[in-house]
Amino acid sequence: MISKLYIDEAVKDYPAVGSVQESLTALPVFVVSDAVKVHEALTAKQDPIAAGKRVLFLTRNKGSFLKKCPGTKSYICCGYQILHIGTYCTMDCAYCVLQAYFHPPVLQYFVNQERLFKELDDLVRSSIPPYHRIGTGEFTDSLIWEPWTELSRTLVPYFAQQDRVVLELKTKTTAVENLRGLEHNKKTIVAWSLNSPAIIRSEERGTAGMRARLRAAAQCEAWGYPLAFHFDPLILYEGWEKDYRRLVRELFASVSAKNIVWISLGSFRFMPSLKPIIQKRFQKSRIIYGEFIPGLDGKMRYFKPLRIELYRKMAAWVKELAPDVMLYFCMEDQEVWEKALGFVPEDRGGLSRMLDESAARHCRIVI
Amino acid sequence: MKYEDKTISISEIDTKDDTCNLSFRTDPDALIASIRAVGLINPPVLRQRQDLKYQIVCGFHRVMACKTLGWHEIKVRVLLGDLSELDLLKLAIWDNRSHRTLNVIEQAQGIEKLSAHIPFRNRLQMLSSLLGFPQNQKVFEKIEALSRLQGDIQAGVTDEIVSLEAAVDLSEFSHEDALSFFELFKVLKLSQNKQREVITLAQEIAIREDLKPGEVLQSKELRTILDRPELNRNEKGSKVRAYLKRRRFPTLTKAEERFSKKLKDLKLNERIHLTPPPYFEGGPYTLRMTFRSMKDFDERRKTLDAMAKNPALRRLLEPFE
Ligand code: SF4
């Protein structure tokens, strides 16, 4: 629940600020000269990470709105582009990297969207750089902004008018109401991160339940949107096999495989600096006590044979019900691909190409 | 500060009232010897309580030494006026600091005693200057944590049986669990990093297996290592750490053991070393060879040729099969 609204003095006259204020009329408003004032207010709190979720800071993005996904060379990256609409999240997942990524993390929304659309115009018009997939759900959840902003109502029709790039809105919410009736032309993929009810209950505070997410997905499917799902982070715990198998079944009982553009599998990995944060903020969480080893990118990951076993089983359960669905791994190496799926992306033109082709098939983009 | 010099009966002093006592484990014998030789040079500073008994503010050990020497009376300085507990504590601290620096345990006790009297917002600044530690929140938190430890473990910190960092870790445990670690460290005398490694491993095993950390340390395997008379302290330390690592990372340890076994099948000699990528995660294998002469080199080459033809090499490169 947002309890304070901070407005960067430099943006106070932007139209988007007015509309956010209209939907948050009851909140105390503080106009500040810069972000430092907000950071100071948060760092004084006992749990600044939680406090950062309860304030909304309207400001401008001084950097680029389009960013390359921070993949590393050591693992196969999907070549995604991030549309940097804002940062942080109102939900509170134990494993959320954003807790350790920003110092301190603040829920901030960028209102200088004329620049955002300028960058999108450039991208859509030119074929250089040749990106075909963009998502807003990297530094935030794509749909938490729905109650206060017109973001998806603006972005979805924008992408509908072109045929080069798809937009992926990735969420753990059910805030899809604003997507109803929009002209999307299949250029917006609505995606959910999925996990078992046990993990949602213990590790994903404030997120929608598994069935609620699937109901929202089915609703979007009914509105004609292409869908995507991310089984990420997959966590090894007692009973994971039974739970994840059931989750896969529930997914395909809720939506049709033919409307799924892609499904990703990613096992839990974390920056070492996240461990003490989880220990402090989520004292009952056990997710960091698996058999983790330092990966080639410095993040902690499950020891490789454990990942391979997890992926092999997940892939088999998915393929059993949806043999043709585009299934990929988020940040894994050739050995894992080979052992869990029986091929490496290079053999099929590379992961980026495979995803672009799937987007072309489902969303009718030209690649 | 006003005071009055007096001679009073030692029985009028409440020696159990340790409100202002900060000194942790000083050597009483030296003080007794000194008083016996030259008498009491500095009179202790006391305050008279409402029940008319005297409370010691400065000079706990002096009073106790005089008592041990069988004195019945003692010259003291009695504070006059209405002094707050904070004033008395400050006086006690400055008295101690006038002739020595406080050790971390004394600083921890000081934090515990003073915190209730100092507003939260000034706490770090005031306590660091009073007790003599750096004005840094992290340092403050570490020292504060030590006040939660039992006396035995606090003594272990000043005796360097438990490192400061490890003691801070132990302050998060129950007294019983913390004592189990302390007993182990007494036997093994591990470095700071190794103590912390043992704490982390045992704690994480406990979480994984739904046990208490102390129960992990009571396991039969670990006790057997400690009971082996032929092992010295370092060997026991290594074996205890290896045991805990095996239990914490069972799949990784098995893979390492399998690799070592397969490596033996390659029959390499001590001049050729094959090392797997760290954690078998996918980096390169490393082959290291040493030689002194062309003759040596030729011999190594032959060993490498044989190694290349050995099917064991293929098996070795598949550590998860
Ligand atoms: S929903 Fe995503 S962004 Fe939000 S807290 Fe969870 S992991 Fe972080």
Side-chain angles (χ1 to χ4, degrees), chain A residues 53 88-98 137-141 144 171-172 193 204-205 207:
Chain A
K53 293 174 178 289
Y88 212 31
C89 187
T90 48
M91 295 174 279
D92 200 5
C93 302
Y95 52 76
C96 181
V97 63
L98 303 177
E138 190 67 22
F139 297 126
T140 180
D141 181 281
I144 54 160
T171 190
K172 285 189 189 120
S193 298
E204 299 183 354
R205 289 179 193 157
T207 64

Side-chain angles (χ1 to χ4, degrees), chain B residues 2-255:
Chain B
K2 289 189 182 133
Y3 54 83
E4 180 188 9
D5 286 332
K6 264 186 171 182
T7 300
I8 63 166
S9 159
I10 288 189
S11 63
E12 289 179 84
I13 304 173
D14 181 357
T15 51
K16 291 209 174 72
D17 182 342
D18 65 351
T19 311
C20 298
N21 187 10
L22 278 173
S23 36
F24 184 74
R25 294 216 321 178
T26 46
D27 176 12
D29 294 345
L31 184 61
I32 291 170
S34 143
I35 294 175
R36 185 183 281 129
V38 295
L40 186 62
I41 301 166
N42 286 316
V45 179
L46 312 184
R47 181 186 77 131
Q48 192 162 26
R49 291 191 320 223
Q50 280 185 342
D51 64 0
L52 302 181
K53 277 268 191 186
Y54 288 95
Q55 173 191 15
I56 307 170
V57 179
C58 312
F60 264 86
H61 296 291
R62 278 168 275 166
V63 173
M64 297 315 283
C66 294
K67 210 173 162 187
T68 310
L69 286 168
W71 292 16
H72 295 292
E73 289 191 326
I74 184 169
K75 264 194 189 153
V76 296
R77 230 158 228 193
V78 180
L79 294 164
L80 300 174
D82 204 10
L83 293 166
S84 69
E85 200 166 308
L86 179 61
D87 293 329
L88 300 178
L89 282 165
K90 280 183 180 172
L91 189 62
I93 289 164
W94 285 119
D95 177 61
N96 274 293
R97 287 194 63 194
S98 64
H99 55 277
R100 66 189 182 91
T101 45
L102 302 180
N103 66 41
V104 277
I105 299 300
E106 291 166 335
Q107 290 171 336
Q109 290 175 348
I111 290 176
E112 199 188 9
K113 290 184 174 179
L114 287 159
S115 286
H117 306 286
I118 297 175
F120 186 75
R121 110 189 101 81
N122 299 341
R123 206 166 277 174
L124 174 60
Q125 191 199 354
M126 275 186 73
L127 290 175
S128 62
S129 74
L130 253 174
L131 298 166
F133 61 83
Q135 194 178 324
N136 172 302
Q137 184 63 26
K138 286 228 164 81
V139 174
F140 170 74
E141 282 166 14
K142 279 183 189 168
I143 299 176
E144 189 190 27
L146 300 179
S147 67
R148 295 195 289 271
L149 291 167
Q150 291 139 298
D152 283 5
I153 305 178
Q154 290 183 334
V157 176
T158 51
D159 293 344
E160 296 180 2
I161 293 169
V162 192
S163 72
L164 172 64
E165 299 288 338
V168 172
D169 293 344
L170 293 185
S171 71
E172 301 289 329
F173 292 92
S174 70
H175 288 332
E176 205 187 345
D177 286 333
L179 263 182
S180 301
F181 282 101
F182 179 58
E183 294 303 326
L184 182 70
F185 295 157
K186 269 205 280 198
V187 178
L188 297 181
K189 287 255 168 79
L190 299 169
S191 66
Q192 168 172 299
N193 286 346
K194 287 176 184 164
Q195 286 185 355
R196 297 196 77 194
E197 182 194 350
V198 165
I199 293 171
T200 306
L201 287 169
Q203 184 184 21
E204 296 191 355
I205 292 167
I207 293 171
R208 283 165 63 88
E209 299 179 13
D210 245 330
L211 296 170
K212 289 185 183 157
E215 289 174 328
V216 176
L217 300 186
Q218 294 308 325
S219 71
K220 210 172 119 219
E221 293 90 330
L222 198 145
R223 291 286 124 194
T224 310
I225 297 169
L226 296 181
D227 289 343
R228 282 173 61 184
E230 78 281 12
L231 298 178
N232 66 31
R233 214 154 42 194
N234 286 343
E235 289 165 335
K236 283 182 184 172
S238 307
K239 288 205 183 303
V240 165
R241 284 166 47 235
Y243 161 72
L244 290 173
K245 198 185 141 216
R246 215 165 36 241
R247 191 158 158 192
R248 170 67 182 85
F249 297 99
T251 323
L252 172 64
T253 317
K254 262 189 214 133

Side-chain angles (χ1 to χ4, degrees), chain A residues 204-266:
Chain A
E204 299 183 354
R205 289 179 193 157
T207 64
M210 183 262 282
R211 294 224 168 85
R213 292 182 211 180
L214 292 178
R215 272 197 302 274
Q219 179 64 82
C220 288
E221 183 182 35
W223 293 333
Y225 286 95
L227 305 174
F229 296 94
H230 302 278
F231 291 103
D232 197 342
L234 289 165
I235 290 169
L236 294 170
Y237 61 96
E238 219 180 302
W240 68 268
E241 287 166 284
K242 192 165 87 358
D243 288 359
Y244 284 146
R245 185 163 201 183
R246 180 177 297 171
L247 175 62
V248 171
R249 278 202 206 117
E250 297 235 15
L251 166 63
F252 293 110
S254 307
V255 299
S256 160
K258 71 177 191 325
N259 292 322
I260 300 176
V261 190
W262 49 65
I263 291 177
S264 76
L265 303 179

